[in-house]
Amino acid sequence: MSIPSTARDGVNRVLRPFNVRVVRGQSDDPAIKPFLSARRTLAAARRAGLSLEDYIDNYSAAPGATAETVDALLRLADLGEHVERVCEIGPGSGRYSARVIAATHPDTYEIYETAGDWLPRLKALPNVVVQPADGHTLSATADKSVDLVHAHKVFVYLPLVVTVGYLDEMARVVRPKGVVAFDVVSENCLDDSTTSEWVSSGSTLYSMISRSWLVDRLAERQLSFLGSHFVPLSGGRTELLVFRRD
Ligand SMILES: C[S@@+](CC[C@H](N)C(=O)[O-])C[C@H]1O[C@@H](n2cnc3c(N)ncnc32)[C@H](O)[C@@H]1O
C-alpha cells in the first residue's frame, strides 16, 4: 500500500461532506501523495450539476477561487505576448491548467502528474505533453526552457525535502525572466484559530513552510520575489508565491 491507511482515513474524514474520497496510490514512495479519485469526483460533480472546477472550488475552498488565483498569478507574472512553454507539477483535475492555457495559449504545456486516472482528461487539453512523473524531479524538461513553471495545492501536502527538491528543479528549468509560482501553507496562513482547529481536528494533512526562508533560498538561485496572493484551502488558506528568474 502506498500510503498508510490512517493517513488516508484522515484525509477522507475531511472530505466526507463532499462525497468524494482519495484513492489509494500506486506507489510505495512517500513523496507521491494520493488525490481525489477521478471517477468519483467527476461523477459527484455531474450529480451536483456543476463543472469540475466549480465543484472542486466549492468543496475545497470558495466559489471562484481557481479563477481568482489564476488572475492573480498572471497579473504578478506579466508573461508578455508570446508564451512558448509552461510546466505544471501535480495538475490533478486540470482546473488551473485549463485556465492558464486559455489565457496564455502556450505552444507546449508540460505536466508532471503521478495520478494516472486524471491523465486522460489532462491529455485532452490543448498542447499538453505528459512528462514522466517520478514524484521528485522535472527530469524530462531542459534547463532554462520554460516561461512559467507552477504548482497549486501540491506543496501543502508533500514532505519538506520533496518540495525543496521540486523548487530546485523549478529554478533549473525556468528561463531567464521566466516565472516560478506555487502555493504553500506559510506562517502568514496560520493564525491562532486556524492552528487550534487543525490541532483539535487531529488532521496531519498539511505542512507549513517558512515564507522568509523560501524567499531567501530562492533568491540564492536567482529568483526574485514578485508578490503573493492568499488562496482558500479546506480549513484554512495557502499563500501563492510568485518569483521571476533574473
Ligand atoms: C491536492 S491535489 C491538487 C491538484 C490540482 N493542482 C488542484 O489544485 O486542483 C495534488 C496533486 O499532486 C499530485 N501529486 C502528489 N504527489 C506528487 C508528486 N510527488 N509529484 C507530482 N505530483 C504529485 C496528486 O496526484 C494531485 O494531482
Side-chain angles (χ1 to χ4, degrees):
M1 186 185 322
S2 64
I3 47 166
S5 55
T6 46
R8 198 174 56 246
D9 291 349
V11 177
N12 281 327
R13 252 196 315 282
V14 174
L15 298 176
R16 191 169 297 138
F18 308 107
N19 198 26
V20 291
R21 291 177 65 77
V22 297
V23 281
R24 187 177 294 187
Q26 291 166 5
S27 164
D28 290 330
D29 185 341
I32 296 179
K33 297 290 181 183
F35 185 47
L36 307 177
S37 145
R39 187 177 57 78
R40 284 171 182 267
T41 309
L42 287 163
R46 253 195 314 275
R47 277 197 302 277
L50 294 172
S51 71
L52 191 57
E53 177 186 310
D54 286 346
Y55 182 76
I56 294 178
D57 272 354
N58 287 355
Y59 90 67
S60 66
T66 305
E68 264 172 44
T69 305
V70 171
D71 288 350
L73 162 56
L74 295 177
R75 206 168 39 245
L76 287 164
D78 190 15
L79 290 169
E81 292 284 290
H82 180 58
V83 175
E84 203 174 296
R85 191 170 281 269
V86 175
C87 177
E88 184 177 355
I89 304 167
S93 65
R95 61 186 173 134
Y96 290 96
S97 332
R99 284 201 171 264
V100 169
I101 290 170
T104 65
H105 308 287
D107 299 338
T108 306
Y109 194 95
E110 300 182 29
I111 58 160
Y112 286 84
E113 173 52 69
T114 51
D117 57 344
W118 286 103
L119 292 182
R121 191 179 164 86
L122 292 165
K123 277 182 195 159
L125 294 170
N127 300 341
V128 161
V129 172
V130 177
Q131 299 289 28
D134 61 16
H136 298 261
T137 71
L138 307 177
S139 61
T141 302
D143 295 359
K144 298 185 181 162
S145 63
V146 305
D147 301 277
L148 167 67
V149 53
H150 64 137
H152 304 271
K153 304 283 166 58
V154 177
F155 300 156
V156 297
Y157 300 98
L158 298 188
L160 176 71
V161 293
V162 182
T163 296
V164 175
Y166 267 135
L167 293 175
D168 288 352
E169 281 288 84
M170 292 166 103
R172 176 183 68 77
V173 303
V174 70
R175 67 167 177 72
K177 307 297 172 205
V179 170
V180 171
F182 56 88
D183 66 338
V184 291
V185 176
S186 70
E187 58 271 47
N188 293 339
C189 304
L190 287 177
D191 58 19
D192 190 52
S193 82
T194 304
T195 312
S196 300
E197 273 167 37
W198 286 11
V199 171
S200 59
S201 76
S203 167
T204 54
L205 197 51
Y206 308 127
S207 343
M208 195 271 263
I209 184 164
S210 158
R211 173 210 226 254
S212 56
W213 182 82
L214 277 173
V215 169
D216 288 350
R217 192 167 196 283
L218 293 180
E220 286 164 13
R221 284 151 185 79
Q222 289 74 55
L223 289 167
S224 303
F225 182 56
L226 291 175
S228 77
H229 172 80
F230 288 108
V231 185
L233 170 80
S234 300
R237 65 180 183 173
T238 64
E239 188 174 12
L240 174 74
L241 304 173
V242 184
F243 299 80
R244 191 181 310 285
R245 172 79 195 234
D246 300 341

